[in-house]
Amino acid sequence: MGQRWTVLAGIVVVLLLGLAIGYWLASRRAPATGGGGPPVVARPAPGIPAEALEVIKTKGFSPDNVTAALATYLPTGKHDDYLMFSSGGHSGQVLVVGIPSMRLLKVIAVFTPESWQGYGFGVKETAFTSALLDGRDPFNGVRVNGRIISWADTHHPNLSETNGDYDGQYLFIGDKASARLAVVDLRDFETKQIVKNPLGFSSHGAAFVTPNTEYVVETSQYGSPLGGAYAPISRYKEEYRGWMTFWKFDRKTGRIVPQESFAVEFPPYWQDLADCGKGPSDGFAFCNSLNTEMATGGIEKGNPPFEAGTAERDMDYLHIVNWKKAAQLVAAGKAKVVNGMKLLPLEVAAKEGVLFFAPEPKSPHGVDVCPCGEHIVVGGKLDPHVTVYSMKKILQAIEKKNFVGKDPYGVPILPFDAVKEAQIEIGLGPLHTVWDNQGYAYTSLFLDSAIARWTMGNCKYQAPEKPWTLIQKIPARYNVGHIASAEGDTVEPDGKWLVALNKWTIDNFVSVGPLLPQTFQLIDIAKSGERATVVYDMPIGVGEPHYAQIIKADKIKAWEIYPEVGWNPLTQSKHPKASTKGSITRKGKTVEVLMTQIRSHFEPEIIEVNKGDRVIIHLTNLERTRDATHGFALGAFNVNASVEPGETVTIEFVADRPGVFPFYCSEFCSALHLEMAGYLIVRP
Amino acid sequence: MGQRWTVLAGIVVVLLLGLAIGYWLASRRAPATGGGGPPVVARPAPGIPAEALEVIKTKGFSPDNVTAALATYLPTGKHDDYLMFSSGGHSGQVLVVGIPSMRLLKVIAVFTPESWQGYGFGVKETAFTSALLDGRDPFNGVRVNGRIISWADTHHPNLSETNGDYDGQYLFIGDKASARLAVVDLRDFETKQIVKNPLGFSSHGAAFVTPNTEYVVETSQYGSPLGGAYAPISRYKEEYRGWMTFWKFDRKTGRIVPQESFAVEFPPYWQDLADCGKGPSDGFAFCNSLNTEMATGGIEKGNPPFEAGTAERDMDYLHIVNWKKAAQLVAAGKAKVVNGMKLLPLEVAAKEGVLFFAPEPKSPHGVDVCPCGEHIVVGGKLDPHVTVYSMKKILQAIEKKNFVGKDPYGVPILPFDAVKEAQIEIGLGPLHTVWDNQGYAYTSLFLDSAIARWTMGNCKYQAPEKPWTLIQKIPARYNVGHIASAEGDTVEPDGKWLVALNKWTIDNFVSVGPLLPQTFQLIDIAKSGERATVVYDMPIGVGEPHYAQIIKADKIKAWEIYPEVGWNPLTQSKHPKASTKGSITRKGKTVEVLMTQIRSHFEPEIIEVNKGDRVIIHLTNLERTRDATHGFALGAFNVNASVEPGETVTIEFVADRPGVFPFYCSEFCSALHLEMAGYLIVRP
């Protein structure tokens, strides 16, 4: 009996041992971590469907590929954690991308008319059209210098900030091609204002906000006579200038206030990217320059071309601007007025402690202020280092008047070694730097096609490695320009994701002809050390982005529908001509139509007018259902409206040609959408 | 000894048994196939990195989610198998999407100026600008009725076909808002031509090609007086008309030839979608109609609105057009000419056997010809059935003159039961049908928010199930309009993927304000029966697509760079003003500039002119490297060019304002891209 129990117990023990070994054998094939390496061998796996293993095998995925696919995928109805606002470059627009799925959620029409959004096609309640209808005004952002400007080169979007943190309320974006600035309201993701900088025709260092969005900075690019004046290029040093403009922003109205804005005059060095200080550097703004040689080109006359002439000196100047002092001086009446804009003259700025220069490795691109505000990092694209300046040292040098001299315009120059904190050799073509919350900085390397991850010193966060050390070079495909990290330009970066805005695409995607898309690469930066990895490649076939910012999606409180029926999206208030009932009223040669839209008809449907009549249609979408947008397409008069639930817009034109012109709803709003139509009949 | 061996053997057996059971226990948790079900339980798995399992767990993925994530993911440098060309709706453009990754590879500028591509911003060598510069011409696609039309509502793209198969050479797209048609050359993915239909101001059934792209069909939408004439709406029945236009396409020049095109006059029923026959139906074209009531609306006068008035009768008319006979009659001089377009009069078409009607359930949307060409499927959106017509039966009825009567305009009406092959109840709001190579048809159900998979009968492919049977309703999120399947409109569909173009998005993505993106859902249709599944949700935030076609990517032989330096992309030949050397020549008040671009300078860099001079710049990009595109931005004159490697373009303007205007390369072409600049100096 006892022996039998012993044998039985032995059998059970051996069976359990077998069970354990078998289970362990089955389980141990999963590697402990991801990492590159050979393709995954597809075998039955607990919890993974056989189909999925077949896909892995067929596609030859590495373990990293498998992780990346899963990390970036969102099933139906699942939402992204972050929104990236990216410039659209010379499309003139702003791109909204979800992260981590890297899906393009919307292109916001800003400077360029866009008919899907009814932006610039006859609807008055858009920033474009309202500016178009305005008269002469040096700040008019569409009718510039007497000509309609209907495109832009958008470069650097900035989200509004409160205490140095993105607050999710507004977005600002600059136009390099025509020196303009636009404001987007993030309640409805629509552009509300476009202003023209009356000082010149090109800018680059825009839009960068101060930590509480008191001002939005815009800095000139190519030196030019002030105010759009003429001067021969032989008078370059004497009559051409640069500037940094501080556009006053009124958060309550959501508008730039040109009359309360001002600028600081600069020498005609080609100013480049800018950033605003925070923490210890709050009150200061910074920008680079790349032609302190003041070269004027002329390859056609045997001169060195600009690309050579602007790169002769080893050092250019980091511009350090005390904007709080500048604002005081402007308030004290020290500014002159140029073409409507208050401008603090260069000699005043130089003399009164507003403007200082620090030498920087030549032809730099990005100047970026770290999360704690103490470090200013310059990427000197012809130099393999990033150069880190210390705000503390800058302030000390200024206080002690520790200057190595002045530039030809009298601006004090700080000693490089006295204000430099560190120089780190990171690779070829450093451009732009962002941060995470692990103590790493990331700098794009255009020529190396890589992103350098390196350690900060004496900063808010501290990486485990030695400070000021290159840790990893993450390969980018190809030629990365700007980079963005989650909440990366705030006082508290999130440290989860980084996006590389790659300028060259070459063979990344199926060929779509000689004009290729750009490539955005999503990089997982959550793991420390050398373990940052590319997880997604997104083609951008709608523009050439230059800069982006990434915000936590839940910080933005976008409206699902407009607050009430009859909403004017431009003024964000009730439209005086909103109506819930259709009508047609004639006064002389003006026919005014109150028109409503609801699934699936217009009221009225037939509008009869005489040739030469002025037709004004106030169009109200009566819907209160999310996504129940209606369109109003009147092709023959070049009109298209996108009228979101509750919105009222006004369309005005002269019925200058007789005929029968169908109009219809250009949104597929219901099963009877095709029947949502009417006729404008113009009697001869 | 013997007993010891027995015990040892017993232990081994039990151990092995344990091993087997343990292994089985560990392995059985992987379901045999995908399928929905509970979230995957993340455990160590052979070949799957632990990180990936952690992601699956964190995200709560189902087995289907895991498979879908892997099936749609493409690692860096891997290419999509298919390209989808989708209309952009009222954006006026065409979208190019990679499948299965559902990445937007490019938006092709077609009808709406687009500055990233330099389309419509001062460059003469674009379809938009060249039409803009042309004089008065009824076929001019941009200067319509004396007004510049700078947007469109693009609906139905069609790829060029050879023997009923996509040949990858050209793409055609219609504009509903202004009754226009455009041609895109797939060598460089650029629009080459925009033509205006001079018969009216709205069309919908475009662009549908005949099996060898002899003609591209465009069918009117809202009844109107022919040729843009005026007639009061009280004369609707007498003077308003519809039409189907056959645009002649010349494959050698890649151009529509308006002079060799013709149209067939229709009654003023609102014609809708169209398709061309193939195989047994080759030589015929089909379109639907939705207002055989000839309702004229007028809700404002107490009449039923169009949505009600157009739906009073139970049946509307499927239009059956013998276009080969029509072409013969036109060649024989039976056409009249309306506003430049040859038009076969309605009475001739009715009498001479060109036009026939078959009753169809009221207010239909799609009419689609199956791969073998025998079946014509109509989705009658107010009827829960699809109706399948047989071409054989149609031809028999026509031959036997088996008519139930004539419509008020004398068009013979075929008996519904004599030409009907089948009616299948599939659900609410059937719109549009496509096919695979397994014998299934797929019909979008707008109201059901689903796609019906049902079996064909007597067709090229035969599904295992009973013919004419509903097999599966695949849920769509939400309100699916059109659908597209891989090579789905050809004689040989691929049967791999289906894309649902969903009209409503609601809560699918992070909120981006009251105007939401559309949703494309990728559906894996490779498995038979009820096993088609949604694998990807793509937001479309750049337009409102209506129709798409999907082609094998390797069928398109796109150029990587232009064939030689000095290429004019509009004529696809050498540009007469191409030059490899810069120069400036003045003749009177005209300044002609031959300008070159190469990384990273222009030649010349400084252009000095007098106020009032006409400036003509012929710009040649000398690069032979793929992706080495340069821009030319001259903001103050509203000019932006995108000049791809080898391209030459011409920019012309009057320097009507004095000043100093920087120009620069708007593509980030090299590390010294910012230095690629110059000045246009206009002396007062």
Side-chain angles (χ1 to χ4, degrees), chain A residues 271-342:
Chain A
Q271 283 79 24
D272 200 31
L273 274 165
D275 202 359
C276 291
K278 49 184 169 253
S281 54
D282 187 15
F284 284 80
F286 308 90
C287 79
N288 288 326
S289 61
L290 52 85
N291 182 16
T292 50
E293 295 84 356
M294 295 187 278
T296 54
I299 187 175
E300 67 281 2
K301 292 182 178 165
N303 297 339
F306 280 115
E307 63 176 322
T310 61
E312 282 177 2
R313 287 163 46 113
D314 278 344
M315 299 296 250
D316 285 309
Y317 295 132
L318 170 64
H319 293 32
I320 301 161
V321 181
N322 185 334
W323 63 260
K324 288 199 174 167
K325 183 168 273 189
Q328 289 164 5
L329 290 168
V330 170
K334 301 280 177 138
K336 55 185 177 183
V337 176
V338 175
N339 207 7
M341 175 67 83
K342 287 181 208 127

Side-chain angles (χ1 to χ4, degrees), chain A residues 115 121 633 635 638-640, chain B residues 90 111-112 149-153 175 177 180:
Chain A
S115 48
F121 293 88
N638 205 35
V639 168
N640 191 50
Chain B
H90 44 290
F111 292 101
T112 308
I149 305 298
S150 55
W151 76 281
D153 188 7
D175 166 25
R180 298 182 296 172

Side-chain angles (χ1 to χ4, degrees), chain A residues 110 536 559:
Chain A
V110 183
Y536 198 89
W559 287 332

Side-chain angles (χ1 to χ4, degrees), chain B residues 1-14:
Chain B
M1 179 88 173
Q3 199 185 354
R4 190 184 290 171
W5 279 116
T6 308
V7 171
L8 217 61
I11 289 171
V12 169
V13 166
V14 172

Side-chain angles (χ1 to χ4, degrees), chain A residues 51 73 115 145 527 535 657, chain B residues 51 73 145 527 535 657:
Chain A
E51 275 187 300
Y73 183 74
S115 48
N145 206 17
K527 281 176 283 180
V535 294
R657 279 164 187 79
Chain B
E51 274 187 302
Y73 183 75
N145 205 18
K527 281 176 284 181
V535 294
R657 279 164 186 79

